[in-house]
Every structure is written in C-alpha cells, then in structure tokens.
Amino acid sequence: MSNSEQLHALSAAEVGRRTAAGDLLVEDYARAILAHIDTTEPSLRAWVVYDPAQVLASARALDALPPHKRGPLHGVADIFLTQEYPTAYGSHWAGHRAQAGVDATAVAVLRGAGALIVGKTTTTQFAASTHGPATVNAVDASRTPGGSSSGSAAAVAAYQVPLALGTQTGGSIIRPASFNGVWGFKPTWNAISRDGVKICAAWNSLTCDTVGLFARSAEDIALASSVFGLSDPAPAPDASTLRLAFVKTGAWGNASEATVAAFTRARAALLAAGARVEDVELESFGDNNTQWHDTERYRAVIHPEGARAFLPDYETYPVSSRATERAKRLESDVVEQIEDGLRRTNDEHLAALDTYARLRPRLDKILEGYDAIITPSTTGVAPPLNDTRHTGNSVFCTMWTVLHVPVVNVPCITEDRLPVGVSVVGRRYGDAQLLQVAAAVGQVIAKAA
Amino acid sequence: MSNSEQLHALSAAEVGRRTAAGDLLVEDYARAILAHIDTTEPSLRAWVVYDPAQVLASARALDALPPHKRGPLHGVADIFLTQEYPTAYGSHWAGHRAQAGVDATAVAVLRGAGALIVGKTTTTQFAASTHGPATVNAVDASRTPGGSSSGSAAAVAAYQVPLALGTQTGGSIIRPASFNGVWGFKPTWNAISRDGVKICAAWNSLTCDTVGLFARSAEDIALASSVFGLSDPAPAPDASTLRLAFVKTGAWGNASEATVAAFTRARAALLAAGARVEDVELESFGDNNTQWHDTERYRAVIHPEGARAFLPDYETYPVSSRATERAKRLESDVVEQIEDGLRRTNDEHLAALDTYARLRPRLDKILEGYDAIITPSTTGVAPPLNDTRHTGNSVFCTMWTVLHVPVVNVPCITEDRLPVGVSVVGRRYGDAQLLQVAAAVGQVIAKAA
C-alpha cells in the first residue's frame, strides 16, 4: 500500500489510524482520492460540485493541526449530497448551490471530527423516483445506482471516498446501498440532525426524512456513527448468540428471485452459524388488526408534508401561473406527489400520523424479543437504466423509515455477481447495538458468499 | 389617511385592498414604513437587518407588476426573524447572516403572495430565555418584549409593520404576543413549513418548532394565514353560538393576579355575550392518569432534540476544547439545556415522545365537544427588564406546542393598561375554524374592555 495510487481505497478507519500516527499526510491521501475521482468520474458521474484546489487546501490545513486537535475522522474523505438542478431553477432555490460557507449540521459534525469534505454528490429531484440523475451504478454501468442518494452510494462503491452522507424519506439510503453493494445506515429518526439538509436534498417530510451514512464496511459505518454518538466500541457479538426475526412484510409479493435468494441464503447462513432464527409475521403480535405495511397510509403522511414544504415552488402568485411554474421547475412526478398531498384531507393525514405514532412503541416492544429483524432491502437488483432513469422501488424500506427504527443494509451478492442487500432493523435508539448485530450478520453473509 | 405619515399604521388587509385597487403605490407605503421605523427603532431596537434601499427597490418591483400577477399580500410589509449573534460566532453559523439569496420556505410563500419583506428582527439565542436581545416592549420600554420572537412582536405592536413571522418551540410566539398586546398565531405543527427557519432562529426541536404569525388584528392573521392554506373566508361565528372550555391546566399555580383577572374577565364577557362556557379539567376526560401539563416530560422531548442539533456547536473536536467552545459561542442556559438533553436516556426521550403522540388524538377528541379551549397565554404581564433581560415564562404555552394544536393569542389589557393575552386553542388542522372562533372571542373581549 506504499504506492499512492492505492491510497484512495483505504478504509476510513485505516486513514484515521495512519494520519493519527503520522504515517500518512492528508494531502497525499487527498491527491490519491482526487486522482481516482478523475479516472472514474467520466463514466460514474456521481458528483455535482467538487473543487480539487479547495480539497487540497483543506487537506493541508488538517495536516497543520497539532495532534491534540485531531479528531477521530482526521483526514477521512467524505462527501455530502445536494440537489442536481439548474441554478436558474427558481428564486426560492437558486441560492442554495452558492452557500459555500454554510454546512448542514451533519456536515459540520463530520468536519469537526476532522473529515476532509470533498464535495457534493447527486440526488434525484427531491427524491422523485422516475427522473434519476446522470450517475450510473458503480458495479454495472448499464444499471441505475438507485436513488435518491445516488451519487453517495455510487461514489463509495467506486472507491472515490470511504464515507458519504445521505438522506432517506422512503428508501433513499437503503435502496442505493443495496444496488451498489455497500453498507448503508439509516439511523433512528432525528438521531442525526437534518438541519440544513432538507433544503437541498430531501422530500421535506419532517416525519420521515432521516440523515444517514454509506461506507464499504461495518467498521467504517460504526466509526462515522461514533461522532454522532450512535455507536460504541464494544466488539460485535458472536453470530451464534443472535436471536433474529426474519420478516417478509406485506411487501413480500414484490420480491424478485434475486431478493428471495438473498433473503433465503442469509437465513440459511445465519442458521448454520448457530443463530436462533424465527420467521415472524408482525401482524401476529398484539391485539390490533392494523397492517404494518400500508403504502397508502405512508403516502398520507409524506405527501401532505411535502406539499406544504414545496408550496412556494408549486404555487407562486405574482411570478406566473401555476401551470407554467410546474413545467418549469418541478419534475412531473414531484408535482404528482404534491397534488396527491393537497388532495388528501387533514383527517386522513392525522389518522396516518397517529397510527404510526401508536405502532412505534409496539414495534420496539416486539424487538425486545430479538436482537434484530432481517428483511429485504429492495425488490431485486438494480434495474437497467432506461429513458426515465427509474431509480427503483422503495416498497421494502418505507415502513421502517416512518416507524423511525434504525436500519442497516448489509451487502449481498447474487449468483450473477450483482449486489442486492438485506436490511437489519433494530429498535428506536438501539443504533449502537444494531450496528454490532449488523456487523456480525455481515461477517456470516460474507463468509457464506 | 392621505397624509403619508399615517400609511405605516394601515392594516395588512387595507394595504392589500388599496394596492390592488391602484389607490396606493407600494413605494409610497414603503417610504412611510421606513420613516416610522427610523423614528421608533432607536428606542425599540427590534431589527437585526434591514436595508432601506433594498426595500424601496423591492417596492418598485412590486409596483411594476401587472395587476394579474399581484398576490393577496401585494405590497404588505412583512418581516422575518433571525438570530442575534456576532458574525464571528463560529464557523458553523457564521455564514447564515450572509444568506441574502436564500429564503426560508415561509418567507418564500409570503414573497410569492406579494409581501414586501422589510428585513429581519431579533430573537433570543436559539430561544435561550435568560439572555434576551436588546429589543424592548413596545407598550412599556421598561419591560421585556418576551422571547424568543421578540423583535417580530415588538415591531408589529409599534406599527413598524403589520405582519411578522415568528417561531415557537415553547411559547415564543404566544408569549411576546401576550406581552406586546398583539395577535399571535401558532398554527398546527408543520402546517407552515419550517424549512430554512430552524437554522437561524429556533431551538431545533423537530417535534415542537412551529412557524407562525403576528399581526394587530384577527383579520390580518387570517389574511396572512390564507396564503398558507390555513384560513377560509367564512365570517366569524356569533359569540352566542360558541361552546368554550375554560382550562386552567396544571400550570395555573403560576398565574399572577393580572393573568387571573384577564382569564376571569374573558370568561365573564363571553358568558354575557351568550356563549356556553364550561370550566374543564382535561384530566377528567378518559381513562388514563397521564398529566397533561408536565414540564419535565416536555424537556425530555426538546432537550435531547436540541442537543443533537447543536452537536457541532457544543462539541467540535479539532478546533478547541469543549469548555472553550461553550464560553465562546453558546449562552450559558443554552449549554444547560444541551447538557440536560445529553444526560437524559433514550428511553426517557422515547417515553415522552410516545406519551405526547398518544395524547394528541385524545385532545382532538376532547375538542370535538367545544369550539375552542380558552387558557392563559402567560403567567402575567411582561416582567421588567433586568440585568439578564429575562424574557418571561412559557409554562402556559409548552403543553399546546408539543401537542401540536393551533393556538391564537387574543390581546387583553389589564387595569394598569398593560397587555396580557388569553389563548384560544383548537384541534389539530382546525386552524381555519379556530381563527374564526378567535376573531369572535376577540370582538367580545375588545367590547368588554
């Protein structure tokens, strides 16, 4: 690894160890990262904004810090996502790309821990699913990277950076992690502050938007999570001690052969490793008949919330007519979601909010009997790119997002050598324990592959 | 009213009517507003940022709009609030003051409806109660204006502008409205998007932060609310048809003589006007023993949320030690609230979140039996300014904020001619109906005064 050409592939943990020990200058590491981005970016197209001169200046500033001022992520390359839209997009949004001096809270935390912020990667428009960005899948360039945090997942998978932030309102971290074969972590809702994020890169549902992370290993996910207070240094449990609930959910009918195979092989491998495995139907718990998976109820939460957040984009009195604004600024399926939100009654919205509020402590209670739930991450492998650049289905993710529980995508590989993950789900604020369980699950799955 | 010296005192509705009819140029109105601010600002100190040249340029741009592009708030002067802190405050926050091109969503909606945004007014630091800004009470300069939306309430009360935005996490709209004798409206949680607001001017509790409005009349509150879809043009009901629940809450022991008198006189006036008045204890409803008013439970929601949002301010690894950061950037009571949040367990936080989630539909159900709840807005009139510029007690407001129900402060005047309001509370998303009920209540109270 003395060849600087390979420095870009180091894990975040390894970069942190070497820079702390004085074995690696952040500037040398930054040059390796930038060279690798130069090589891979023309085909991957993961980036919206990055400025090599600024990255090198930041790297030199980090190198100049005395040892006692160095943080746990000293020099580790990291990226944040932003909205891919033209700067003439509209008066309300036009300024955001220029906010060079303003970090989202999550970025400020990473920067404070010493991370080298390299730039911003692509997302779909406000999580609009059918109009993906130009980014392609890092494993197979003929396929979608998934959305909405497309660029973050692809950049990590392509070894452009070891860590990336993302946001999830439905499945926007877990889905691209599954499609690109990397680890994705959607923490407990609001465990990482969303301040400054939603403006650029999320659907703007206060109830669902969650900031999370991508990395190539469980260790790096845990390291990055530690600066947000979401992990602890205890070792991963032995897989033979785990009690795992395999949950197909009401979305199971959408699972492709690849998803069924990944789920089944994970189950077999964990059984073989001595874990206690139970096939669980959530509906069998307790005394109510509420369906846990209900896409309409999920939409009754997020669409009215999005409609209010996009009010100035959708409806701007003096500037022009509503129809003109639509065509000019918002993707057609974003408009559809806004209009669906405007159509729903307040009573329907409140009933959905209150139902999820009631289900959250119930799910936590169910999870007291298990170390984690295992469930599919996506309906299958990444779909091929097509005219609309469809970024894939989030039907296996939305339920956990709106229930606020933490989810880790553990990468799996199909027989066709394409990635498709399984999700490991814990109880709210059980993030630290979940990361350890997911690490153990990941070891078993990797060994069985 | 032909004398331009008096134009500043017009209601928002009147400005909208005259500019729409072509009877008033926005530029002339803007000059009157600016002249009145020049006169009153040296003592009131409500403003952080305002640029007369920019205001006049905006006014001329509005005058140039053809009639079909004019919105319902055409030319109405409006303000937004921002954090009053030095620009050297810290790298994370330093850029925010400079974000001239970026509107909060709520500001963008007002601007889209034709509002003339005059500038930004003061708030306390992140709603820190014991370190108020320099602003004084508009009615009595020896008293606090209340916080945290201090400047907005004072500027409206002093006729500097007819409309202002504010944010409330505890009592930061209702309290300064009560203290300055103006109408304050805290809508249903998330009914007005908080995007772009929290960064500068709120405690950053996703569960409680709410964007709302100040005005000098029920009519102007309803007009401004209409552009957010929160009011309808139906006339106010006759007071004799109202069913009102007078609720003292568990905070009643904090009520001063002035508050008791305002509450009692409102009750007597509404009775005399023919309203059906009931004295209600919320605890008497239903089968659980949960206290509705519980300051500790409220803190168990907002302090951990704030602690996560302020993580980069409180704990910044490489820059300096934690103790130094504290002293340099955060007010001492903000630090106390962050540290209280860090001390509380996740289980305590979740129990508080889930309890309020359970109480919300219960309160809506109780409100099916009434047109509104009437309850005190503040513990008394505005306290005198003192060394710490204490902005007053929010104990009567926090419960309604965390329960997400809409609240209107209806101004009342004590025998000493000092303002102290009563709160009119409705069910979630019953905002439009509540505004009408509050207008009727306000008419009765004003007539009885």
Side-chain angles (χ1 to χ4, degrees):
Chain A
M1 199 65 80
S2 62
N3 183 336
S4 73
E5 289 302 302
Q6 298 169 298
L7 287 176
H8 69 269
L10 291 178
S11 72
E14 185 67 15
V15 172
R17 275 192 291 269
R18 293 200 192 185
T19 55
D23 294 342
L24 175 62
L25 282 176
V26 179
E27 184 175 355
D28 290 341
Y29 170 66
R31 289 188 190 280
I33 287 281
L34 293 171
H36 184 68
I37 293 174
D38 275 352
T39 307
T40 51
E41 181 59 11
S43 55
L44 193 67
R45 286 174 284 179
W47 296 79
V48 174
V49 174
Y50 91 110
D51 176 349
Q54 177 60 49
V55 174
L56 290 172
S58 298
R60 285 188 288 265
L62 285 163
D63 283 328
L65 279 179
H68 73 278
K69 289 198 172 182
R70 297 182 177 191
L73 295 177
H74 187 70
V76 176
D78 204 323
I79 53 181
F80 198 54
L81 71 178
T82 190
Q83 177 71 35
E84 190 183 45
Y85 53 76
T87 48
Y89 179 73
S91 63
H92 179 47
W93 298 98
H96 291 296
R97 289 279 288 279
Q99 287 184 56
V102 184
D103 281 345
T105 296
V107 177
V109 170
L110 291 174
R111 210 188 282 276
L116 178 70
I117 307 295
V118 177
K120 295 180 178 184
T121 50
T122 61
T123 74
T124 63
Q125 187 182 51
F126 310 122
S129 64
T130 62
H131 300 267
T135 311
V136 300
N137 190 292
V139 177
D140 177 347
S142 75
R143 295 176 184 272
T144 178
S148 63
S149 302
S150 318
S152 290
V156 169
Y159 290 87
Q160 292 186 334
V161 287
L163 283 180
L165 285 167
T167 66
Q168 174 156 320
T169 305
S172 293
I173 291 171
I174 298 302
R175 179 175 44 171
S178 174
F179 287 172
N180 288 280
V182 296
W183 290 71
F185 176 35
K186 181 209 82 68
T188 301
W189 175 79
N190 202 18
I192 297 180
S193 173
R194 73 193 281 288
D195 275 2
V197 171
K198 83 253 119 300
I199 293 172
C200 297
W203 168 248
N204 289 288
S205 160
L206 282 193
T207 303
C208 289
D209 289 356
T210 312
V211 176
L213 299 159
F214 296 94
R216 291 187 299 268
S217 67
E219 186 189 15
D220 279 3
I221 289 279
L223 173 65
S225 300
S226 71
V227 302
F228 296 101
L230 295 177
S231 63
D232 62 50
D238 190 87
S240 67
T241 67
L242 296 180
R243 300 156 304 163
L244 300 170
F246 276 69
V247 174
K248 292 178 173 176
T249 81
W252 184 252
N254 299 283
S256 69
E257 271 181 45
T259 291
V260 173
F263 187 74
T264 308
R265 286 195 294 188
R267 189 179 178 287
L270 286 157
L271 257 181
R276 194 179 108 197
V277 166
E278 268 182 59
D279 297 310
V280 169
E281 288 196 21
L282 294 182
E283 278 71 13
S284 70
F285 285 86
D287 55 357
N288 76 80
N289 294 312
T290 309
Q291 292 298 310
W292 290 82
H293 173 80
D294 182 337
T295 300
E296 273 306 299
R297 190 177 59 216
Y298 168 73
R299 289 179 181 149
V301 169
I302 68 159
H303 288 178
E305 292 192 334
R308 288 192 291 275
F310 291 112
L311 189 58
D313 305 283
Y314 179 75
E315 182 150 28
T316 303
Y317 296 94
V319 180
S320 64
S321 75
R322 180 187 287 198
T324 316
E325 285 306 297
R326 271 188 222 169
K328 206 168 54 186
R329 309 203 299 188
L330 296 175
E331 300 280 15
S332 61
D333 59 348
V334 172
V335 170
E336 278 164 28
Q337 291 173 74
I338 291 171
E339 294 184 346
D340 182 72
L342 294 172
R343 263 194 306 271
R344 292 178 192 263
T345 65
N346 291 325
D347 284 350
E348 186 186 1
H349 180 56
L350 288 172
L353 286 175
D354 291 341
T355 299
Y356 285 118
R358 187 166 51 77
L359 290 175
R360 283 179 199 122
R362 293 180 63 81
L363 181 57
D364 287 347
K365 185 85 186 160
I366 292 169
L367 275 157
E368 284 179 9
Y370 304 95
D371 290 303
I373 283 171
I374 311 279
T375 193
S377 289
T378 47
T379 59
V381 299
L385 290 170
N386 59 20
D387 288 348
T388 59
R389 306 190 75 86
H390 196 292
T391 56
N393 193 323
S394 64
V395 69
F396 278 111
C397 305
T398 52
M399 180 179 116
W400 314 110
T401 311
V402 70
L403 288 169
H404 293 179
V405 289
V407 183
V408 176
N409 178 69
V410 176
C412 307
I413 300 290
T414 67
E415 289 176 359
D416 299 334
R417 314 306 303 161
L418 287 172
V420 65
V422 296
S423 283
V424 185
V425 180
R427 67 176 196 288
R428 288 178 297 167
Y429 285 107
D431 298 72
Q433 188 204 351
L434 176 70
L435 289 174
Q436 290 165 357
V437 172
V441 167
Q443 282 167 13
V444 170
I445 289 176
K447 221 157 93 181
Chain B
M1 199 66 80
S2 61
N3 184 336
S4 72
E5 289 303 302
Q6 298 169 296
L7 287 175
H8 69 269
L10 291 178
S11 72
E14 186 67 13
V15 172
R17 275 191 291 269
R18 292 201 192 186
T19 56
D23 294 342
L24 175 61
L25 282 176
V26 179
E27 183 175 356
D28 289 342
Y29 171 66
R31 289 189 190 282
I33 288 281
L34 293 171
H36 185 67
I37 293 173
D38 275 353
T39 307
T40 50
E41 182 58 12
S43 55
L44 193 67
R45 286 174 284 179
W47 295 79
V48 174
V49 173
Y50 91 110
D51 175 349
Q54 177 61 46
V55 173
L56 289 172
S58 299
R60 284 188 288 266
L62 285 164
D63 283 329
L65 279 179
H68 72 277
K69 290 198 172 182
R70 296 181 177 191
L73 295 177
H74 188 71
V76 175
D78 204 325
I79 52 181
F80 197 55
L81 70 178
T82 191
Q83 178 70 35
E84 190 183 45
Y85 52 77
T87 48
Y89 179 73
S91 62
H92 178 47
W93 298 96
H96 291 297
R97 289 281 286 280
Q99 287 184 55
V102 183
D103 280 346
T105 296
V107 177
V109 170
L110 291 174
R111 209 188 283 275
L116 178 71
I117 307 296
V118 178
K120 296 181 178 185
T121 49
T122 60
T123 75
T124 63
Q125 188 183 51
F126 310 122
S129 65
T130 61
H131 300 267
T135 312
V136 300
N137 191 291
V139 177
D140 178 346
S142 74
R143 295 177 185 271
T144 177
S148 63
S149 302
S150 318
S152 289
V156 169
Y159 290 87
Q160 291 186 334
V161 287
L163 283 181
L165 284 166
T167 66
Q168 174 156 321
T169 305
S172 293
I173 291 170
I174 298 302
R175 180 176 44 173
S178 175
F179 288 172
N180 289 279
V182 296
W183 290 71
F185 176 33
K186 181 209 83 67
T188 301
W189 175 79
N190 201 19
I192 297 179
S193 173
R194 71 193 281 288
D195 276 1
V197 171
K198 83 254 117 300
I199 292 173
C200 298
W203 167 249
N204 288 287
S205 160
L206 282 194
T207 304
C208 288
D209 289 357
T210 312
V211 176
L213 299 159
F214 296 94
R216 291 187 299 268
S217 67
E219 185 189 17
D220 279 3
I221 289 278
L223 174 65
S225 300
S226 71
V227 303
F228 296 101
L230 296 177
S231 64
D232 62 52
D238 190 87
S240 66
T241 67
L242 297 179
R243 300 157 304 163
L244 300 170
F246 276 70
V247 174
K248 292 178 173 175
T249 81
W252 185 251
N254 299 283
S256 69
E257 271 181 46
T259 291
V260 173
F263 187 74
T264 307
R265 285 195 294 188
R267 188 179 179 288
L270 285 157
L271 256 182
R276 195 180 109 198
V277 166
E278 271 181 57
D279 298 310
V280 169
E281 289 196 21
L282 294 182
E283 277 71 13
S284 69
F285 283 86
D287 55 359
N288 76 80
N289 294 312
T290 308
Q291 292 299 309
W292 290 81
H293 173 79
D294 183 337
T295 300
E296 273 306 299
R297 190 177 60 215
Y298 169 74
R299 289 179 181 148
V301 169
I302 69 159
H303 287 177
E305 293 191 333
R308 287 192 291 275
F310 292 111
L311 189 58
D313 306 282
Y314 179 75
E315 182 150 27
T316 302
Y317 295 93
V319 179
S320 64
S321 75
R322 182 187 286 200
T324 315
E325 286 306 296
R326 270 189 223 170
K328 206 167 54 184
R329 310 204 297 187
L330 296 175
E331 301 280 15
S332 61
D333 59 348
V334 173
V335 170
E336 278 164 27
Q337 291 174 74
I338 291 170
E339 294 184 345
D340 182 72
L342 295 172
R343 264 193 307 271
R344 291 178 192 262
T345 65
N346 291 326
D347 284 348
E348 186 186 2
H349 180 56
L350 288 172
L353 286 175
D354 291 340
T355 298
Y356 285 117
R358 188 166 51 76
L359 291 176
R360 282 178 200 124
R362 293 181 62 82
L363 182 57
D364 287 347
K365 186 85 186 159
I366 292 168
L367 276 158
E368 285 179 8
Y370 304 95
D371 290 303
I373 284 171
I374 311 278
T375 192
S377 290
T378 48
T379 60
V381 300
L385 290 170
N386 59 21
D387 288 347
T388 60
R389 305 190 75 84
H390 196 291
T391 56
N393 193 322
S394 64
V395 70
F396 277 110
C397 305
T398 52
M399 179 179 116
W400 314 110
T401 311
V402 70
L403 288 169
H404 292 178
V405 288
V407 183
V408 175
N409 179 69
V410 176
C412 306
I413 300 290
T414 68
E415 289 176 1
D416 299 334
R417 312 309 302 163
L418 287 172
V420 65
V422 295
S423 284
V424 185
V425 180
R427 68 177 196 287
R428 288 177 297 169
Y429 285 108
D431 298 72
Q433 189 204 351
L434 176 70
L435 289 174
Q436 291 166 356
V437 172
V441 168
Q443 283 168 13
V444 170
I445 288 175
K447 221 157 94 180

